[in-house]
Amino acid sequence: MSEILLSQLAHVELISPKPAETVEWMKEVFGLEETTSEGQSVYLRGWAEWLHSSLIITEGREPGVGRIGWRTYGPEDPEIVAKRLADTEEAVGWVDDWTGHGATYQYRAPHGRHLHEVFWDVDRYQAPPEQQDPVIKNRPQRFSGKGIGARYLDHVTMPTQNMRGDIDFYKRLGARHTAQTEVEPGFEVFSTLTCNGIRSTHDLALVPDFSGMTGRAHHIAFRVDQRQDVDRAAEVFLANDTPIEFGPGVHGIDEITYLYVREPGGFRMEINAGGWVNTMPDWETTTYQAAGGNPGQSIWRNVEAPEGFHESWPLPAGDAAEKQNAGVAGENVRDFFGEQAGTSR
């Protein structure tokens, strides 16, 4: 029997030590729309997203990612996930409802320990009359024209101490493991996964974590319409005093045009466009070798990431920082992480 339990990456919670600055930047520079605020959180969405919110900004001491939300493919699927994870160390439990969606089942990945939640009932965004598009009815609102015009949430990338273990866990919930990069047989340093059979590129990616910490995150990505929009985004970022960390360029594994910056709270955001489309349900994981240049970093394998690009949050300190820096600077992973790895920005 074929099975698809999850339909889409619905939202990611971004923790910011500068929530007011982060929210303003997300709205005016990144181009997101504010739906509502509640307590210490502000709920945002891309201008073309139908759901209540896709990015939740919550105040915290240091940058990082909190809840990662997935909408299921049908109303019974949250219960299926709950039964599948019952009496396991990954199970967290039920929440009656959250802002933007209904009954929610939460769980943690076994090794990265990232907090995920699944739900079916959702609140849909309702634009006021002046923001409704009178012609294109498939849009929840008019094109805003604000900032870079981020259209919708694309993926989240997270470190894990045991990539193979977390991949097997996500596959239990129906994810397809689409591609991976190895530095040697059996030593994966990058993997992409998607939760359903119609998704281009990926909605979840994993990288190694050598620090001994858990629950860390590397970046959150949003999409724009065209590859040229990524180039335009670079201009918008520079015009708004947002330094470009990496890009524009083209990733090799998923073929998306990418650009990375850091928002005012210090966390890394990616904007992208394009990419491959793979709808094959029996697709077998493609394995790339890092030797000769990181294939995921650049399709042409001629670009090395800048110093600090492999940082994830919360940043490790003390012994954890030493372990992380030693891990990414190791000779056996140099082809993937590059010569700058192990240094801070």
Side-chain angles (χ1 to χ4, degrees):
M1 181 183 70
S2 59
E3 178 183 58
I4 299 176
L5 293 175
L6 308 180
S7 67
Q8 69 180 104
L9 174 63
H11 66 244
V12 179
E13 181 182 29
L14 172 60
I15 311 300
S16 173
K18 300 179 180 180
E21 293 93 330
T22 294
V23 169
E24 181 181 11
W25 184 88
M26 290 292 181
K27 292 164 62 176
E28 301 304 320
V29 180
F30 217 63
L32 300 184
E33 302 282 332
E34 180 176 342
T35 305
T36 190
S37 60
E38 185 175 296
Q40 293 181 300
S41 298
V42 177
Y43 295 78
L44 306 169
R45 45 174 285 281
W47 67 269
E49 292 183 302
W50 284 97
L51 297 188
H52 174 277
S53 49
S54 61
L55 188 68
I56 307 166
I57 308 299
T58 299
E59 183 176 2
R61 291 187 304 171
E62 52 190 334
V65 162
R67 298 151 43 208
I68 301 169
W70 306 84
R71 193 182 186 206
T72 59
Y73 223 82
E76 293 82 22
D77 293 335
E79 185 65 38
I80 292 175
V81 173
K83 289 180 178 178
R84 189 162 298 180
L85 298 180
D87 301 321
T88 68
E89 294 183 356
E90 290 74 50
V92 175
W94 286 96
V95 178
D96 288 340
D97 68 287
W98 282 105
T99 301
H101 53 89
T104 300
Y105 184 76
Q106 295 187 318
Y107 57 90
R108 291 187 181 275
H111 304 285
R113 303 303 292 169
H114 302 93
L115 179 62
H116 298 266
E117 55 189 27
V118 294
F119 46 86
W120 167 251
D121 292 320
V122 294
D123 295 339
R124 288 172 171 80
Y125 174 73
Q126 295 292 327
E130 67 274 11
Q131 290 187 11
Q132 294 176 7
D133 193 314
V135 177
I136 307 176
K137 301 298 185 180
N138 283 337
R139 291 180 174 179
Q141 69 172 76
R142 296 174 185 263
F143 174 60
S144 68
K146 293 194 307 181
I148 67 168
R151 183 162 185 155
Y152 45 77
L153 178 64
D154 187 64
H155 68 263
V156 59
T157 295
M158 305 173 296
T160 174
Q161 299 178 46
N162 184 335
M163 191 175 300
R164 175 50 53 186
D166 275 349
I167 289 169
D168 290 343
F169 172 76
Y170 291 125
K171 288 173 67 176
R172 285 180 59 200
L173 302 181
R176 292 190 303 147
H177 182 201
T178 52
Q180 63 184 8
T181 299
E182 294 181 338
V183 292
E184 57 188 51
F187 187 173
E188 300 101 347
V189 287
F190 181 69
S191 282
T192 57
L193 301 97
T194 180
C195 70
N196 64 49
I198 58 174
R199 181 80 168 87
S200 61
T201 69
H202 58 284
D203 43 36
L204 176 64
L206 300 175
V207 294
D209 198 325
F210 304 102
S211 70
M213 299 171 62
T214 59
R216 304 201 304 139
H218 185 268
H219 70 267
I220 299 169
F222 274 72
R223 290 181 72 83
V224 289
D225 275 334
Q226 307 293 333
R227 293 183 188 270
Q228 299 96 312
D229 293 332
V230 179
D231 294 334
R232 176 185 173 275
E235 298 283 353
V236 174
F237 287 137
L238 292 179
N240 286 274
D241 302 317
T242 300
I244 293 171
E245 181 180 27
F246 190 31
V250 179
H251 284 316
I253 292 178
D254 51 21
E255 301 181 43
I256 56 174
T257 296
Y258 66 82
L259 176 65
Y260 296 88
V261 297
R262 299 197 187 185
E263 51 82 24
F267 191 78
R268 179 180 299 107
M269 300 294 296
E270 179 189 5
I271 195 73
N272 64 50
W276 73 331
V277 175
N278 178 355
T279 59
M280 295 176 64
D282 55 351
W283 178 260
E284 295 185 6
T285 306
T286 303
T287 299
Y288 293 80
Q289 301 301 323
N294 183 342
Q297 203 155 272
S298 169
I299 196 170
W300 302 287
R301 298 196 179 201
N302 63 349
V303 177
E304 185 170 313
E307 64 180 54
F309 182 72
H310 297 291
E311 290 178 342
S312 294
W313 292 269
L315 292 172
D319 290 343
E322 291 183 8
K323 292 178 182 178
Q324 179 66 20
N325 290 336
V328 298
E331 193 65 35
N332 61 333
V333 296
R334 187 61 54 86
D335 281 334
F336 180 82
F337 289 107
E339 297 295 330
Q340 298 286 347
T343 62
S344 298
R345 194 177 75 161

